[in-house]
Amino acid sequence: MSSSVLFDAPGPKARARNRTYAVVGSAAVLAIVAFVIYRLAIKGQLDGAMWDIFNYAGVRNSIAKGIVSTLEAFAMAGVLSLVLAVLLAVARLSDHKPVSWVATGVIELFRAVPLLITIYVLWVGFFTSDPLWAVVLGLTLYNGAVQAEVLRAGIVAVPRGQSEAAYALGMNKTQVMTTVLIPQAVRSMLPTIVSQLVVTLKDTSLGFVITYEELLYAGRQMASTILVDGENPYVPVVLVFGAIYVAMCLALSALANWIEKRGRRAKTGIPVAETQTAAPDMGGGAGPAA
């Protein structure tokens, strides 16, 4: 039996004790789940009538409208935040100190201010009649600041020799940044960028605070206005809408993984053509065999 410096293989007593802990812990978790289900059943939240509300066309239309509004805000905020992130990352790495200081101040400010406060201030001060733009710009400022630090870390992580080689070829700093550093930074930091985009998708739910009719707002309206046998269908609404959020986040992660795998399979550089060498004809070679 081999063991490492950081881990000692458990002996017979330790394995028996671990199995006991696993059985007891699993039993405790199952007991808690059973208790929660029992309490929900007593309240009538698991009755079939509670779930029948999703068969109504009005409810399905409300869910569809909420999904479209959520994806609309996410698409706009996702694109704008990535554009802002590139600008802030490049500005923070600028050789001009005032530009770098301003970019650093913007990044630190919007990373420190809670996103809900940013959205609320934008809504009250500028976009009272159009909450969509308050949500989009709030998400753009916060996530752009976070993504800027991600991109900056990726740019700094690129080996210095590559930028030096690009300068040696006669490229200026803008060309080095756009053709050498940023593409490699995006590729290396893609998992982190996608993780932050998932956060952006989930943070669209903050729009319900300013009455933006996204998915969470639609769910809250349904749970508070629909009555089934005198009870509001809170649990079915939470489970269904939670499953929708999970499905959207998983779809975004799957898309990012597909893009990353394609990037890994992509061949770089110019392929070298295969050549065939033939024996030189010296003349007077032997003729075909009879």
Side-chain angles (χ1 to χ4, degrees):
M1 179 180 297
S2 61
S3 61
S4 66
V5 176
L6 301 178
F7 175 76
D8 292 332
K13 292 184 178 180
R15 290 198 296 270
R17 185 167 57 250
N18 292 339
R19 285 194 293 268
T20 302
Y21 291 159
V23 171
V24 172
S26 301
V29 171
L30 291 175
I32 294 173
V33 172
F35 176 75
V36 171
I37 294 175
Y38 172 72
R39 293 293 300 174
L40 293 177
I42 290 178
K43 295 291 185 179
Q45 292 293 323
L46 302 182
D47 293 345
M50 288 287 184
W51 298 89
D52 286 340
I53 62 174
F54 299 106
N55 292 324
Y56 294 104
V59 171
R60 292 197 298 268
N61 290 336
S62 179
I63 294 175
K65 183 179 178 181
I67 293 175
V68 171
S69 298
T70 294
L71 294 178
E72 180 183 7
F74 164 69
M76 296 171 65
V79 173
L80 292 176
S81 64
L82 290 177
V83 173
L84 179 62
V86 172
L87 296 177
L88 290 176
V90 173
R92 185 163 186 177
L93 294 172
S94 174
D95 294 332
H96 303 285
K97 293 301 181 183
V99 176
S100 178
W101 292 340
V102 171
T104 301
V106 172
I107 291 172
E108 296 301 329
L109 173 64
F110 288 106
R111 287 176 63 196
V113 176
L115 176 56
L116 183 58
I117 294 178
T118 303
I119 292 175
Y120 190 78
V121 169
L122 290 171
W123 178 58
V124 173
F126 304 97
F127 302 103
T128 305
S129 60
D130 193 359
L132 169 63
W133 282 107
V135 175
V136 169
L137 292 181
L139 292 172
T140 298
L141 292 172
Y142 172 74
N143 291 283
V146 175
Q147 298 278 32
E149 285 298 277
V150 173
L151 288 176
R152 185 178 70 88
I155 292 173
V156 173
V158 176
R160 183 180 296 273
Q162 299 197 22
S163 58
E164 292 176 351
Y167 286 125
L169 292 175
M171 293 185 180
N172 57 36
K173 186 171 183 179
T174 301
Q175 292 174 325
V176 173
M177 186 67 70
T178 56
T179 62
V180 177
L181 298 180
I182 291 180
Q184 294 189 70
V186 171
R187 185 173 181 179
S188 64
M189 303 302 290
L190 184 60
T192 307
I193 293 173
V194 173
S195 297
Q196 191 60 36
L197 287 176
V198 171
V199 172
T200 304
L201 176 59
K202 293 188 295 183
D203 284 345
T204 57
S205 60
L206 296 176
F208 89 94
V209 177
I210 60 173
T211 67
Y212 176 59
E213 297 181 358
E214 42 75 50
L215 187 59
L216 182 60
Y217 182 87
R220 183 182 180 186
Q221 291 295 105
M222 290 171 52
S224 60
T225 57
I226 297 177
L227 288 176
V228 179
D229 296 331
E231 295 287 343
N232 297 102
Y234 290 113
V235 173
V237 170
V238 168
L239 293 178
V240 170
F241 280 72
I244 293 174
Y245 273 111
V246 170
M248 290 191 297
C249 292
L250 290 178
L252 179 60
S253 299
L255 176 62
N257 292 333
W258 178 76
I259 295 174
E260 184 179 7
K261 290 180 180 178
R262 283 186 61 87
R264 289 177 180 176
R265 290 198 301 264
K267 297 182 181 297
T268 57
I270 302 175
V272 179
E274 295 182 359
T275 58
Q276 295 181 353
T277 60
D281 186 4
M282 303 300 294

